[in-house]
Amino acid sequence: MSAATERSPNRSTRKRRAILEAATELFLGHGYLGTTMDEVAASAGVSKQTVYKHFDDKRSLFAEIVTTTVGEASDPVHNEVLSLEDTGDIEADLHDLARRQLSMVMQPTLLRLRRLVIGEVGRFPELGRAFYERGPARTIAALATAFEGLAERGVLRLDDPQLAAAHFNWLIMSAPMNEAMLLGRDEKPSAVELDRYVKGGVRAFLAAYGQGSGEGGIRTHEAV
């Protein structure tokens, strides 16, 4: 194998990365309709032919950006959630998890991408579903599994792990996320703001589902 052949996969990878980085900035700055493949090629410093060598069309390029970005953000959170079941200090570990989770999802690039996907969901419903399934739905499913194990250990009191997981997720994130989405705030909250949301959310969650929350915690299936 020649030296040129050995180098070509690395060169190809670098070009693909440059295309994705350039396209991300253009999509986030100008929207899907406001971005052209000519602009992507120029910004990435490659030919238009090279862009089409890596991506069939603008739609597939946009899809790659969404799935890759959400996956990179959700993987670390997902792995940490899975280890929660072995906790020896549920309050401290929930605080740590919530702080890292909130810090991750409030990254400016991810906020802007979430807003763009929401705006384009009518055109690309499959991307809205991909964002949801790879992001919040994946995290909530992992939380539900961990919470079910904690309930079996007597650490939490609940009878609907999926609902408890959704409650935890949105107790932490609903206020800052709504402000970011509806007010166009892309800057990451300060450490003080993050701690405020985290402490309040964990306190509310444990008041409902902790050992001292009452008989069975929130009884989601009882008749009212």
Side-chain angles (χ1 to χ4, degrees):
M1 180 181 294
S2 68
T5 303
E6 289 178 352
R7 288 195 303 268
S8 60
N10 292 332
R11 186 182 302 114
S12 178
T13 298
R14 288 196 299 271
K15 288 183 177 181
R16 182 181 181 88
R17 186 182 302 117
I19 292 167
L20 287 170
E21 290 175 354
T24 298
E25 286 303 312
L26 288 167
F27 282 134
L28 295 182
H30 304 295
Y32 180 81
L33 291 180
T35 298
T36 68
M37 295 294 262
D38 284 326
E39 291 172 328
V40 171
S43 181
V46 300
S47 68
K48 188 174 180 180
Q49 182 180 6
T50 298
V51 175
Y52 280 112
K53 178 180 178 181
H54 288 274
F55 301 97
D56 291 337
D57 49 31
K58 188 168 71 167
R59 188 187 188 101
S60 64
L61 175 56
F62 186 44
E64 176 74 10
I65 289 169
V66 172
T67 55
T68 299
T69 304
V70 175
E72 289 175 349
S74 67
D75 285 349
V77 173
H78 181 263
N79 293 335
E80 187 169 351
V81 169
L82 294 179
S83 67
L84 185 64
E85 192 174 338
D86 299 323
T87 181
D89 187 337
I90 184 62
E91 184 172 3
D93 286 345
L94 284 177
H95 271 103
D96 289 344
L97 171 64
R99 188 174 291 107
R100 278 189 278 272
Q101 180 184 3
L102 187 56
S103 181
M104 181 68 71
V105 301
M106 297 301 291
Q107 293 180 65
T109 296
L110 195 58
L111 290 174
R112 294 167 66 195
L113 183 62
R114 181 188 291 259
R115 196 180 298 115
L116 179 57
V117 169
I118 291 172
E120 294 290 348
V121 73
R123 193 191 319 275
F124 305 116
E126 71 280 6
L127 288 185
R129 178 174 293 277
F131 195 111
Y132 174 75
E133 290 178 347
R134 292 169 182 257
R138 185 184 184 208
T139 298
I140 290 171
L143 282 168
T145 298
F147 288 169
E148 185 173 19
L150 291 169
E152 291 173 356
R153 288 175 50 198
V155 177
L156 296 178
R157 303 172 67 89
L158 52 89
D159 63 1
D160 189 335
Q162 187 75 19
L163 182 60
H167 282 162
F168 177 79
N169 190 69
W170 294 111
L171 279 168
I172 303 299
M173 292 201 302
S174 60
M177 184 61 69
N178 276 334
E179 289 180 5
M181 291 299 98
L182 298 176
L183 301 180
R185 294 179 180 172
D186 293 333
E187 65 274 10
K188 189 175 180 179
S190 68
V192 172
E193 290 175 309
L194 289 176
D195 283 343
R196 175 170 170 263
Y197 293 125
V198 166
K199 290 177 181 178
V202 171
R203 183 168 58 248
F205 178 80
L206 290 178
Y209 293 107
Q211 286 181 323
S213 61
E215 184 64 28
I218 293 179
R219 309 304 297 177
T220 55
H221 298 302
E222 290 180 355
V224 294

